[in-house]
Amino acid sequence: RGPKSRKQTIGKTKKTASRPQKQTKVKGKKNSAGIDCTFDLAVLGGRGGRTNNHPGNVLFRNEARKLKGVYQDRCTSREDKFLLPQELVKKVKKYGGRFLGKGDDGLWYEMDDKDARLKAAAALRETKYI
């Protein structure tokens, strides 16, 4: 049998279960409510002048600068190079900072620990701001 014609389906409605409202999903972000404005201790993900000049990112880079010498030393083991970004993330969270990434809806969402560590590792590898 082929598909039903339009005449045969009129008046017959399909019952579907009601679905809960869908939260905006953002890759690498914790499943939480979005934040419409950031605070000064937040470390913003992304590129460009807005994130580079944000007070939280400036403070984050200053903290990274303190650990950068150890991270870039030739004698530092691979295991230590894995642990140093975790320490940097802990420092930021200790003084009240959060790692935020922008979602598709324009709101900011807290990054999960893995993405925060990757951002910290990138900051420690950076040679521009030594």
Side-chain angles (χ1 to χ4, degrees), residues 14 17 81 90 108 114 117 126:
K14 214 179 203 183
K81 286 190 178 191
K90 284 181 188 175
W108 294 93
K114 179 185 175 188
R117 186 188 60 76
E126 180 64 49

Side-chain angles (χ1 to χ4, degrees), residues 7-109:
K7 277 186 178 180
Q8 292 173 338
T9 58
I10 293 176
K12 295 179 182 178
T13 58
K14 214 179 203 183
K15 291 188 179 182
T16 58
S18 63
R19 296 180 187 177
Q21 280 191 339
K22 192 175 174 183
Q23 285 186 335
T24 302
K25 286 195 175 188
V26 182
K27 182 183 174 226
K29 311 297 181 270
K30 287 184 178 178
N31 200 7
S32 62
I35 303 164
D36 60 350
C37 63
T38 60
F39 62 105
D40 286 347
L41 295 177
V43 179
L44 305 181
R47 300 169 53 131
R50 179 171 186 209
T51 57
N52 286 338
N53 297 323
H54 190 272
N57 289 51
V58 172
L59 189 58
F60 168 69
R61 281 197 308 273
N62 289 337
E63 290 293 330
R65 202 171 287 127
K66 295 174 188 175
L67 296 173
K68 199 177 282 195
V70 176
Y71 186 86
Q72 293 180 350
D73 186 16
R74 297 172 120 184
C75 298
T76 304
S77 69
R78 186 177 172 101
E79 183 180 318
D80 289 340
K81 286 190 178 191
F82 182 81
L83 295 174
L84 281 170
Q86 288 178 335
E87 290 300 316
L88 181 55
V89 170
K90 284 181 188 175
K91 276 186 178 183
V92 170
K93 289 185 177 185
K94 188 175 182 179
Y95 66 68
R98 292 190 291 180
F99 289 85
L100 303 177
K102 200 164 200 172
D104 294 335
D105 57 359
L107 297 176
W108 294 93
Y109 293 86

